[in-house]
Structure formats: C-alpha cells, structure tokens
Amino acid sequence: MSYSPDGQHQPYRSEGQYQQQPYGTSYAQPYEPQQHHEPPYGPPRPPYQDPEEPEYDQRRPRRGRRWLIAGVSVLALAGIAAGVMYHFEIPPFTDKGKDVSFGQPAAGKAGGTGGATKPAANSKALMPTGPASEFKNSMTLADGTHVAVTTLDGKKSGFKGKVWVWAPKEYNDPKFAKSGFPVMIALPGGAGYPTNYWMGTDLGLQTSISKWYAEGKSKPFILAMPVLNPAGDEKGIYWDGSDIPGQPKMGTWLTEDVPDLMKANFRTIKSRDGWAYMGSSTGGFASLKAVLQHPDKFKAAICSGPDIVPDSSLWKGHDKEKAENNPELLAKALIDKKGSPDVYLAFQVGDNENNKKTLPDVQKFVATYGKGPIHTSLRVIPGGQHNAKTYVPNMAEGPIQFISKVMEGPVE
C-alpha cells in the first residue's frame, strides 16, 4: 500500500486593519505680545503637529513581504505536486522501476559474486551462480533497502511469472562481503496472483525481519516472494502449490525454479540449513508440503492458518498424484524412513479463524506427526483471525525464533 502526503495550503491571514491615528489637537489661545524671556514650559510648539510617520503602511504588505508569501505558496504547491507525482509513480519523483543489482553486475553482463571476493574451497557460502536477472525496483524502504521484481521464465516448470525479492541491509555490509545469507520463500494466501501480498510494505514483513534480527530473534533472511498460482481464483480454482497433471507445474516452480533464481543472483548457503518457507492459508499449505516433500533441500517452514490436506478441484481423476502431495502421508513416510533429515515446522493459528476446522486440524497434525525427525511448535493466537495482519506480528512470539535457532547464516 502506498501513501501520499496530505498537505493543506494555509491561507494568509491579515494582521488586522490599520487604525488611523489622530492628527493632534489645536488649542485657541488669547493673543499676547511677544515676551523677551523663555516661556515657563519650554519652547513654543506650532498649533498643528503631524503624527510620527509609521515604519510602513500596515494596511498592505510591503513588496518584500508579498514576494515572501508568494514564494512560500509556490513551495507548498510544489511539495503537494511532488507528493502526488510520487504517489502515482511519475519520474523523477520516484525510484520505482529503476534497476536494482543487489551487488550483481547488470543483467546480461558476465561474472559477479554479489560484491564478495572468491570464497575458500570449504566455504559454506554459495556465491551467485548467474546469469544475473533483471530486477526493477518495486519500492524503497526507510532503511534504503529495496523490494525488487523480476519475471522468471522457469526452466524446469515451464511456467513464467513474477518474483519479488528483498535483502536486508546487512547483505551490503562490508563485513558480510564473503557471507552467504539464508533464504525464506514467502507464499501468500488467496489467489497469490498476479501479485504476492508479502511484497507490500503495509504488512511489515521486511521491516519486521530487520527488527527481529536486531533483537536476536531471527536470521537476516533474504526474501523470495513468487506468485503462488498461474492465474486468479475468480472461479474458486487453485493449484495447491503442486504439479497437478495437465496443469502448470507450480510445485516445481516453487521448489526448483524460485530457489535457482535466488542462487543465481544472491550469496546464499549451500546446504538446506539456509533454506526455509513461510506462508499463510494456501501458502501455508504449500510451505508445509514443500518441506515434507523435499527435506533434503529445505529445513524449516512457518505455516500460518494452513490447510493440512490438498483439496483443489483440479485433482479430480488424479488420486495417486494427490496422495503424493498430501502432507499427512508425506509426514508419515518421513517418520517411517530411517535416517530421514530433521525438519522444523512452526505453526500459528488464530482461535477466531473463519474456518473453525483450521485449529483442530493443525492440532491433530502436530499430535500425530510431531515426532521422530519432524519437530513442531504451535502458537495459538488469542483473538487471531485468518489474515496476514494477524500472523506477521505473532511470528516474533515463537515461530521465527523456533526456525532461526536451527538455521544457519550469515556464514562464510
């Protein structure tokens, strides 16, 4: 959400009307012959005395004052105009649309390590693999960091869509020049198309991560914010973040193409210890499923108000594939498989969600599958509703700390 300044022109108010001073009073005096001595009360004064001339005519401003008022008015109007032009993103009053490199060379140019020197052979950090993508500034935050957007042509999924990215200010700190940063793939609820609502600053995800890192609660995550679905949900259709037969491969898009984009353009972490998801509602389901389906690639997820099982109408006639994307069945298989990597799932659900099944379904999942390699936490938000404005502030009260304790970064 963008905001425009709200300025008001303050009209000039006069300081009051000039009150004309009397011109003195004359007194009739009897004629007396001139005396040759000084009068007893000082020298005589003329019968009429003009009043003292004022510094300026108070009934109208002087020329300098008129120019001052005109100048202030012009500046006020210019400020209002600049604010309007910024709101409507009219150059040069906004930097929206300008190139953002995140330390990489411009798109189409070779090389680039995100501002870092070549790391040691045993480094945990992965330098940008390239090629560099073309990122355009979507908005600039108060700390000077940028939310930028690119169009990703997914080589593995075949799907082409937008991805917004953001890196915390620490990413450009010289002391982290050789460091790889953890990545969080943030998924929205609802349609999740043509935008991803985490890219807006009104929900405060980016500023919250910076604040939580400063407080020692969170890792300084780089954010990837892709579209969740290949189209809107006007007809109630969604894709469950999965590769549904005959449909765009949104599962591959989220778990292969988007991570590849981040590795190509940012200093990241080689191991799964630097890769996590977060999401709300349908995005919470996709986050949960991605980690359980690919525990070798992703270590943790924050799932807010998630669905627990796939329920898209597009699964009709594809029961086998639907089962392969069912978090309950994926969790059971992970528990049953010896030597499975540990995963960490932080749930948060409001106790006032519009779907009254959400909380009991999550509680059942935690009770049934929160064992063995599957580590879970559940935060029930008092009065919490099914929306991102409920979920973001409450992430600091447990979920972000739960996953940050087991993730790495920044690392060299």
Side-chain angles (χ1 to χ4, degrees), residues 172-253:
N172 290 318
D173 188 327
K175 73 179 181 180
F176 293 120
K178 298 180 182 180
S179 299
F181 279 67
V183 175
M184 179 180 286
I185 300 172
L187 305 179
Y193 180 90
T195 59
N196 176 326
Y197 57 56
W198 297 117
M199 52 72 71
T201 57
D202 53 328
L203 294 173
L205 179 60
Q206 293 84 5
T207 54
S208 294
I209 287 175
S210 292
K211 176 177 178 288
W212 297 333
Y213 175 62
E215 295 171 347
K217 296 178 179 178
S218 174
K219 297 294 185 184
F221 291 101
I222 299 172
L223 292 180
M225 298 162 277
V227 295
L228 179 61
N229 290 316
D233 63 352
E234 293 83 1
K235 298 180 180 179
I237 297 175
Y238 48 96
W239 282 256
D240 274 339
S242 304
D243 290 357
I244 301 176
Q247 299 293 328
K249 295 182 177 180
M250 300 314 295
T252 301
W253 159 261

Side-chain angles (χ1 to χ4, degrees), residues 77-150:
L77 290 172
I80 293 171
V84 171
M85 296 177 83
Y86 182 87
H87 175 67
F88 289 103
E89 299 162 357
I90 302 173
F93 296 94
T94 176
D95 57 0
K96 182 170 182 177
K98 292 186 177 180
D99 292 335
V100 180
S101 68
F102 296 102
Q104 279 274 70
K109 294 185 179 180
T113 59
T117 57
K118 187 175 181 179
N122 61 348
S123 172
K124 293 182 177 181
L126 177 65
M127 294 299 107
T129 61
S133 301
E134 183 181 73
F135 289 105
K136 298 294 185 180
N137 190 38
S138 179
M139 63 187 65
T140 300
L141 278 63
D143 64 359
T145 58
H146 302 285
V147 177
V149 63
T150 190

Side-chain angles (χ1 to χ4, degrees), residues 264-331:
N265 291 277
F266 292 89
R267 303 188 309 274
T268 58
I269 296 174
K270 292 178 181 178
S271 76
R272 72 189 192 100
D273 294 336
W275 294 85
Y277 282 85
M278 66 153 283
S280 56
S281 193
T282 302
F285 167 84
S287 298
L288 172 64
K289 182 179 70 71
V291 173
L292 292 173
Q293 204 168 39
H294 303 283
D296 56 324
K297 297 179 181 179
F298 311 106
K299 191 171 189 177
I302 296 175
C303 312
S304 302
D307 301 322
I308 295 298
V309 296
D311 58 0
S312 171
S313 60
L314 297 171
W315 288 114
K316 186 176 181 180
H318 305 290
D319 292 342
K320 177 179 177 294
E321 292 83 1
K322 183 177 181 180
E324 293 170 350
N325 288 272
N326 187 326
E328 291 182 336
L329 299 180
L330 291 168

Side-chain angles (χ1 to χ4, degrees), residues 25-80:
T25 306
S26 63
Y27 298 92
Q29 298 179 355
Y31 171 78
E32 292 183 1
Q34 185 173 359
Q35 302 293 322
H36 297 285
H37 58 77
E38 293 294 331
Y41 300 108
R45 59 181 183 175
Y48 299 101
Q49 182 175 353
D50 290 334
E52 186 177 331
E53 193 70 19
E55 290 185 12
Y56 61 92
D57 187 349
Q58 296 183 19
R59 287 169 293 183
R60 62 181 180 178
R62 291 184 299 174
R63 179 176 298 175
R65 191 175 181 187
R66 291 198 300 269
W67 279 109
L68 176 62
I69 294 170
V72 170
S73 299
V74 169
L75 289 174
L77 290 172
I80 293 171

Side-chain angles (χ1 to χ4, degrees), residues 145-168:
T145 58
H146 302 285
V147 177
V149 63
T150 190
T151 298
L152 172 61
D153 190 354
K155 303 303 182 187
K156 296 177 180 176
S157 68
F159 174 71
K160 186 176 182 179
K162 289 185 176 180
V163 182
W164 289 262
V165 299
W166 172 82

Side-chain angles (χ1 to χ4, degrees), residues 308-366:
I308 295 298
V309 296
D311 58 0
S312 171
S313 60
L314 297 171
W315 288 114
K316 186 176 181 180
H318 305 290
D319 292 342
K320 177 179 177 294
E321 292 83 1
K322 183 177 181 180
E324 293 170 350
N325 288 272
N326 187 326
E328 291 182 336
L329 299 180
L330 291 168
K332 183 179 184 303
L334 196 62
I335 294 169
D336 292 343
K337 183 179 178 181
K338 292 183 179 180
S340 295
D342 291 325
V343 296
Y344 296 81
L345 307 173
F347 296 92
Q348 57 175 0
V349 184
D351 64 5
N352 193 30
E353 301 255 350
N354 55 343
N355 184 348
K356 301 308 178 184
K357 288 188 62 182
T358 302
L359 180 54
D361 284 351
V362 171
Q363 289 172 326
K364 179 183 177 182
F365 182 92
V366 169

